[in-house]
């Protein structure tokens, strides 16, 4: 019987890890039949990592494809190969290196203070909307000089994108409704950021965006870089906090272990990234014709590299389906690999470390409030996006 | 084979060997030495394989180029003898090299 692997199916998100396990065990590569964009999925660590690293043969230059699917504005840098990629990355990198991120700790802690005050001993809360979202959004907005009154606009638009992001590659028919939603967000972000940067410049407000804009010639580039920062930095870490907590609650022994031994915090966070990384796949475009086992890949085909599958590959990880907070070594690829390795690694780790430290310090217990209905997902599938997580934080 | 010593973040010393042309990061990756493997796999994209030359090797192990210095500028705990393990390619002149994983 032919294996079917359809990331657009209604049950794909719910059964994601069993789907991906079956694919990894049964084939190295899978040709998606009938998709508008020719696409091949790859599952094993030994294939995914070298392909992520080999930008000359597996290109990220997919801006044209992304534009057709309404994602053009956010595909700058991540949708480019060198030398364009290198130029943008060098502009952005200094803001996300350890020395710079160290200065974010105070901002993150302040956002956590506000969220804790609202959520601790407050009965049922939504960990997505009341806690994780505001913390991560607060940091991004602060470093981008975005005023408090605009935070809701930023978060709501970013969520719209996250709910649908990445599925276009698997469509078998055009989906004008979703394309219109995403394109509209792109235009709204573009319009907002071009104006916002002008305001920052006029008021001489120091922020990452005003500094970046001085080095970018075109308004399109400024808007795209801003949109990328929001897209890459907001929903990824928000969902990581939510899903990290969900795994701790699902694994009470691991939660107890972490509460007893603060020294395990860093390895616990790495395990959260491995086990539930938000971005489940990366995309590349084949530069040459090639073949993986009996699957032929033509130049121009899209290749979907399932890092979430690689992160549970038993060839690399012992007991890969278990959530073990003291796992070491833990060479996961939740942040990708190669020249496109996530620029926000250090920032994401700082947000996770400070948030989980505070959550565990301030609570005696964290519990789901609606049993099996406590968690609701957007059902995206190719990205792990939570809609709601009903819990209570008990001091 | 070229022999090098990597002192990990706990102060444990690892005597390792690599081939000419491999990087210190490649050797660290083989031995799974946390802090010297880096995140990006050796592409000068993350700055997370920050090592510090042992005093006995300061000034004797080549110099960082502009791209490496760019990344080191953002590193915490940078010292005059800081390097990125992914940018140190082994050759005979580095036989006996001693480096320390940056613990800052």
């Amino acid at each position: 019987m032919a294996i079917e692997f359809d990331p657009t199916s209604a049950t794909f998100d719910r059964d994601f890890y069993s789907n991906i396990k079956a694919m990894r065990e049964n084939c190295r590569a899978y040709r998606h039949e009938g998709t508008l964009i020719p696409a091949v999925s790859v599952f094993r660590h030994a294939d995914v990592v070298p392909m992520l690293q080999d930008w000359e043969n597996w290109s990220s230059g997919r801006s044209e494809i992304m534009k057709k699917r309404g994602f053009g504005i956010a595909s700058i840098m991540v949708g480019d190969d060198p030398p364009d990629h290198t130029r943008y990355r060098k502009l952005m990198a200094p803001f996300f290196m350890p020395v710079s991120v160290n200065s974010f700790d105070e901002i993150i802690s302040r956002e956590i203070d506000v969220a804790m005050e609202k959520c601790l001993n407050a009965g049922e809360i939504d960990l997505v909307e009341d806690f994780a979202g505001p913390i991560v959004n607060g940091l991004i907005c602060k470093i981008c000089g975005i005023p408090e009154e605009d935070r809701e606009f930023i978060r709501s638009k970013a969520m719209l994108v996250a709910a649908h992001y990445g599925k276009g590659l698997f469509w078998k028919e055009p989906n004008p409704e979703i394309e219109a939603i995403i394109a509209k967000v792109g235009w709204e972000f573009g319009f907002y950021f071009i104006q916002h940067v002008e305001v920052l410049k006029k008021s001489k407000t120091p922020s990452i965006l005003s500094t970046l804009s001085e080095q970018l010639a075109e308004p399109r580039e400024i808007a795209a870089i801003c949109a990328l920062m929001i897209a890459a930095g907001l929903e990824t870490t928000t969902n990581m906090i939510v899903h990290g907590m969900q795994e701790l609650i699902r694994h009470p022994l691991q939660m107890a272990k972490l509460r007893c031994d603060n020294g395990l915090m860093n390895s616990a966070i790495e395990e959260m990234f491995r086990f539930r990384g938000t971005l489940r796949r990366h995309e590349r475009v084949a530069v040459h014709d090639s073949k993986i086992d009996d699957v032929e890949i033509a130049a121009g085909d899209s290749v979907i590299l399932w890092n979430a599958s690689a992160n549970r590959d038993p060839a690399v990880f012992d007991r890969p389906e278990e959530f073990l907070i003291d796992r070491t070594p833990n060479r996961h690829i939740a942040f990708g690999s190669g020249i496109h390795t996530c620029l926000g690694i250090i920032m994401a780790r700082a947000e996770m470390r400070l948030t989980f430290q505070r959550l565990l310090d301030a609570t005696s217990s964290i519990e789901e409030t609606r049993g099996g209905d406590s968690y609701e997902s957007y059902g995206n599938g190719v990205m792990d996006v939570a809609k709601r997580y009903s819990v209570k934080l008990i001091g | 084979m070229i022999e090098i010593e990597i002192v990990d973040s706990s102060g444990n010393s690892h005597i390792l060997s690599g081939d000419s042309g491999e990087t210190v990061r490649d050797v660290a990756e083989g031995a799974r030495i946390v802090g010297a493997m880096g995140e990006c796999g050796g592409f000068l994209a993350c700055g997370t394989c920050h090592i510090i030359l042992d005093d006995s090797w300061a000034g004797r192990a080549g110099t960082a180029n502009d791209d490496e210095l760019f990344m080191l500028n953002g590193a915490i705990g940078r010292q005059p003898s800081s390097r990125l393990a992914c940018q140190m390619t082994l050759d005979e002149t580095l036989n006996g090299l001693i480096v320390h994983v940056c613990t800052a």
Side-chain angles (χ1 to χ4, degrees):
Chain A
M1 192 179 80
I3 305 170
E4 195 178 353
F5 179 66
D6 180 6
T8 63
S9 76
T11 58
F12 182 77
D13 186 53
R14 189 192 65 202
D15 302 329
F16 175 76
Y17 283 103
S18 56
N19 279 331
I20 214 84
K21 181 170 185 277
M23 296 307 293
R24 189 178 59 240
E25 287 172 352
N26 284 294
C27 59
R28 288 177 63 200
Y30 175 85
R31 160 74 61 185
H32 294 269
E33 295 296 338
T35 50
L36 296 172
I37 297 169
V40 171
S41 280
V42 177
F43 307 96
R44 295 180 187 170
H45 193 281
D47 293 318
V48 169
V49 171
M51 291 169 82
L52 282 174
Q53 293 181 347
D54 182 2
W55 62 267
E56 286 168 298
N57 287 307
W58 304 101
S59 164
S60 289
R62 61 190 188 283
S63 294
E64 289 309 309
I65 294 172
M66 299 296 271
K67 274 176 198 158
K68 285 179 194 161
R69 290 284 163 266
F71 296 112
I73 193 167
S75 66
I76 201 165
M77 188 174 86
V78 293
D80 292 317
D81 292 321
D84 288 343
H85 169 267
T86 314
R87 182 169 73 87
Y88 290 125
R89 183 139 181 145
K90 278 199 162 176
L91 287 179
M92 295 184 77
F95 302 108
F96 297 100
M97 287 179 177
V99 161
S100 308
V101 172
N102 247 12
S103 68
F104 299 163
D105 280 9
E106 202 180 315
I107 303 170
I108 301 168
S109 295
R110 228 170 13 240
E111 296 298 336
I112 295 171
D113 286 343
V114 174
M116 286 303 286
E117 197 173 318
K118 180 179 175 187
C119 296
L120 186 64
N121 294 323
E124 180 183 272
I125 62 146
D126 177 357
L127 199 69
V128 182
E129 285 305 310
D130 298 326
F131 191 81
I135 291 170
V136 180
N137 194 27
L139 170 64
I140 290 275
C141 287
K142 188 75 185 168
I143 63 178
C144 291
I146 295 168
E148 289 220 24
E149 59 268 27
D150 293 347
R151 285 186 181 186
E152 180 50 34
F153 163 79
I154 297 292
R155 171 128 173 81
S156 63
K157 299 300 172 189
M159 274 176 52
L160 266 182
V161 174
H164 301 291
Y165 179 78
K167 295 176 84 167
L169 272 180
F170 306 104
W171 289 344
K172 294 179 179 173
E173 290 172 10
N175 205 327
E177 213 171 287
I178 293 178
E179 287 187 69
I181 291 171
I182 303 298
K184 187 165 177 277
V185 173
W187 285 112
E188 286 173 324
F189 266 166
F191 185 70
Y192 175 84
F193 283 120
I194 287 168
Q195 284 196 322
H196 173 61
V197 166
E198 282 308 307
V199 171
L200 291 174
K201 278 190 199 165
K202 275 183 191 155
S203 60
K204 297 192 175 10
T205 307
S207 94
I208 288 178
L209 299 189
S210 38
T211 310
L212 274 173
S213 70
E214 286 163 13
Q215 300 170 70
L216 294 167
E218 295 177 39
R220 183 193 68 84
E221 288 180 304
I222 296 168
I225 287 284
C226 294
L228 172 64
M229 281 180 55
I230 299 295
L234 183 43
E235 288 305 313
T236 48
T237 313
T238 297
N239 283 290
M240 210 54 254
I241 292 171
V242 172
H243 294 131
M245 180 51 68
Q246 188 181 32
E247 294 307 330
L248 285 177
I249 291 174
R250 282 177 174 176
H251 300 87
L253 288 178
Q254 300 295 311
M255 171 82 95
K257 202 169 173 178
L258 187 55
R259 282 189 183 278
C260 287
D261 186 353
N262 195 28
L264 291 172
M265 183 57 77
N266 288 340
S267 63
I269 286 165
E270 293 312 308
E271 183 66 344
M272 293 172 195
F273 285 128
R274 182 192 75 86
F275 205 72
R276 289 294 295 276
T278 304
L279 287 176
R280 289 169 164 170
R281 56 85 195 95
H282 296 278
E283 293 149 27
R284 298 290 187 266
V285 177
V287 173
H288 308 289
D289 293 349
S290 62
K291 205 171 174 186
I292 298 178
D293 284 348
D294 57 348
V295 177
E296 292 189 1
I297 302 173
D301 282 358
S302 283
V303 179
I304 299 95
L305 305 171
W306 292 92
N307 52 308
S309 169
N311 280 340
R312 295 196 183 195
D313 191 333
V316 176
F317 299 97
D318 291 334
R319 299 151 71 193
E321 302 294 340
E322 293 180 43
F323 178 73
L324 304 169
I325 62 162
D326 53 358
R327 183 182 292 279
T328 183
N330 191 347
R331 291 289 279 162
H332 64 75
I333 51 166
F335 295 108
S337 189
I339 63 169
H340 289 278
T341 298
C342 175
L343 202 47
I345 299 177
I346 311 288
M347 186 168 93
R349 287 195 171 118
E351 290 172 284
M352 292 287 284
R353 189 185 70 251
L354 292 168
T355 301
F356 277 88
Q357 194 61 63
R358 183 70 70 80
L359 271 172
L360 297 191
D361 285 349
T363 61
S364 58
S365 174
I366 301 171
E367 297 167 9
E368 294 181 343
T369 51
R370 301 188 190 189
D373 292 327
S374 297
Y375 177 80
E376 194 182 349
S377 157
Y378 274 105
N380 178 318
V382 299
M383 194 168 158
D384 202 358
V385 189
K387 193 172 192 178
R388 173 184 57 81
Y389 192 29
S390 302
V391 299
K392 56 182 173 182
L393 311 183
I394 304 162
Chain B
M1 297 293 273
I2 295 150
E3 196 169 88
I4 63 172
E5 180 179 345
I6 303 179
V7 182
D8 68 23
S9 54
S10 303
N12 298 316
S13 183
H14 303 261
I15 308 291
L16 305 163
S17 55
D19 291 322
S20 184
E22 282 191 301
T23 64
V24 172
R25 193 212 72 83
D26 294 334
V27 176
E29 174 89 51
R32 289 285 189 263
I33 296 178
V34 174
M37 295 186 284
E39 294 277 351
C40 72
F43 290 81
L44 196 54
C46 65
T48 56
C49 58
H50 183 187
I51 53 173
I52 293 160
L53 299 177
D54 188 76
D55 288 346
S56 61
W57 277 85
R60 294 172 49 209
T63 53
N65 66 19
D66 288 348
D67 289 335
E68 186 180 349
L69 289 173
F70 175 81
M71 297 303 288
L72 282 169
N73 278 340
I76 290 174
R78 186 181 173 192
Q79 297 184 19
S81 56
S82 284
R83 294 293 307 268
L84 293 178
C86 70
Q87 299 302 301
M88 293 193 73
T89 304
L90 297 182
D91 61 26
E92 287 301 331
T93 66
L94 295 183
N95 196 30
L97 176 73
I98 305 170
V99 299
H100 302 254
V101 170
C102 179
T103 53

